[in-house]
Amino acid sequence: MAKPRISFEYFPPKTDTGKDKLLSETTPALNELNPEFFSVTYGAGGTTRDTTLGVVSTMREAGIDVAPHISFGGDDEDTMAELLQTYKERGIKRLVALRGDMPSGMGAAMQLVYANELVEFVRDKTGDHFNIEVAAYPEIHPESKNYDSDVQFLKKKLDAGANSAITQYFYNVEAYFYYLDQCMAAGIDKPIYAGIMPITNYQNLARFSRNCGAEIPRWICQKMEGYGDDQESIRQFGLEVVTQLCQTLMDSGCPGIHFYTMNQVEPTRAIYNSLGL
Ligand code: FAD
């Protein structure tokens, strides 16, 4: 069986210490696992513009294949074109293109640009230079009108020139497989990589999942809540659940796994090792 494509996602650290740790400790450790690429998220409304650019540039200088996430946020076309040019000059060949969300407090001050329009813009300005990933939602984007329209909007992003998609994380494996079937039926033939979130801090995960529309199945919640403050049991159970999820995905021919590392080595490395990758 071919090894699935593996990629690792970071968020841009808020402090210099966090940035140093990410670049000098976390990245070399995760890079030993031979990912195809790393990606670095982009804060809504350009709040992390410089940090994302800085982290991505330093990683690229170290010879690592890294993809910045981009979204228009409140930026105009000139600013976006300039950012794309900067990434091109710094040897970046891959992007994750997103609409992003409205930063809190922005109200109606900002008009979000859908990801399909951003993909069109990138292709228009830079041709085939970048390999473009977009986001996909097996449990459906929280603002979506209905299931089928969300699948159609994914198709629109891919038809606009994106090469492949990475999913929001999920723990219901059936939702991913059903989604793949629905996408295929809608005429999508590009790879849809599975986004995987290791389970470490249950309370944080539960809060985040409510906002992004990812469901934590009841049996997992019940088990986690039963552990209370016993972090070691949460870690061990989380490792078993997510390893099993990844194994099922790989056994079923999933094209690859994108780990939401949360800038930590151990949770992702433990899953990776348990899978025997
Ligand atoms: P879109 O694909 O534009 O879709 C947004 C919503 O609008 C959906 O409900 C869709 O059904 C609908 N829609 C899409 N196109 C149209 C259209 N043309 N007309 C009408 N309706 C439409 N957030 C960040 O802030 N920074 C990040 O770095 C980041 N990285 C992410 C990486 C991945 C792999 C994933 C899965 C998500 C990421 N997110 C990130 C979260 C993402 O920004 C949010 O989920 C956001 O709400 C939607 O972005 P999108 O690109 O999926 O939007």
Side-chain angles (χ1 to χ4, degrees):
M1 189 174 51
K3 188 184 160 201
R5 187 187 88 168
I6 300 293
S7 50
F8 296 141
E9 182 172 306
Y10 288 160
F11 59 85
K14 287 203 172 78
T15 62
D16 286 345
T17 315
K19 196 170 153 188
D20 286 348
K21 183 168 184 242
L22 189 75
L23 296 170
S24 63
E25 293 176 29
T26 313
T27 303
L30 285 176
N31 204 30
E32 275 182 17
L33 307 181
N34 282 321
E36 185 131 332
F37 69 96
F38 288 77
S39 81
V40 184
T41 64
Y42 190 70
T47 46
T48 71
R49 184 180 297 111
D50 294 344
T51 337
T52 300
L53 177 63
V55 169
V56 163
S57 303
T58 310
M59 289 176 74
R60 186 63 217 129
E61 278 163 23
I64 291 169
D65 190 348
V66 56
H69 294 208
I70 55 163
S71 57
F72 263 101
D75 289 342
D76 59 21
E77 294 196 348
D78 288 347
T79 310
M80 178 54 79
E82 206 175 296
L83 183 65
L84 293 174
Q85 187 56 29
T86 305
Y87 279 133
K88 216 175 144 180
E89 283 162 9
R90 294 189 186 182
I92 301 302
K93 296 249 174 64
R94 198 190 288 272
L95 301 170
V96 182
L98 303 143
R99 183 200 70 171
D101 291 313
M102 195 70 80
S104 51
M106 287 298 281
M110 211 170 89
Q111 181 70 40
L112 291 173
V113 176
Y114 289 117
N116 68 288
E117 297 168 52
L118 174 57
V119 172
E120 265 171 42
F121 182 84
V122 176
R123 286 286 176 242
D124 184 42
K125 295 290 171 198
T126 60
D128 287 338
H129 177 81
F130 293 106
N131 180 295
I132 308 177
E133 308 271 348
V134 289
Y137 301 87
E139 293 177 306
I140 299 307
H141 186 265
E143 292 162 35
S144 186
K145 282 205 193 77
N146 58 51
Y147 196 105
D148 292 346
S149 69
D150 210 37
V151 170
Q152 285 304 323
F153 286 131
L154 172 64
K155 184 168 186 318
K156 209 167 175 177
K157 298 192 265 197
L158 293 166
D159 288 349
N163 300 82
S164 45
I166 299 171
T167 73
Q168 182 58 277
Y169 66 86
F170 56 87
Y171 298 103
N172 293 309
V173 75
E174 298 79 10
Y176 173 75
F177 291 133
Y178 184 75
Y179 186 71
L180 291 189
D181 287 347
Q182 294 298 299
C183 288
M184 207 190 293
I188 293 173
D189 58 3
K190 293 179 176 170
I192 301 176
Y193 298 99
I196 293 293
M197 178 76 87
I199 300 177
T200 48
N201 183 320
Y202 171 64
Q203 299 305 337
N204 284 352
L205 181 69
R207 186 163 17 87
F208 190 58
S209 301
R210 275 193 290 277
N211 294 332
C212 74
E215 185 186 66
I216 310 180
R218 182 175 152 79
W219 66 274
I220 297 182
C221 292
Q222 294 293 321
K223 193 81 180 161
M224 289 287 183
E225 277 162 22
Y227 288 129
D229 292 333
D230 179 356
Q231 291 304 326
E232 179 49 26
S233 296
I234 290 177
R235 192 196 59 75
Q236 188 55 41
F237 175 69
L239 175 60
E240 280 165 30
V241 167
V242 179
T243 301
Q244 185 55 54
L245 171 63
C246 293
Q247 190 65 58
T248 307
L249 290 168
M250 284 165 44
D251 291 347
S252 309
C254 164
I257 297 176
H258 180 79
F259 286 97
Y260 295 102
T261 69
M262 303 307 285
N263 294 4
Q264 294 176 45
V265 175
E266 217 32 61
T268 294
R269 183 161 61 188
I271 298 164
Y272 192 94
N273 288 339
S274 301
L275 288 167
L277 285 169

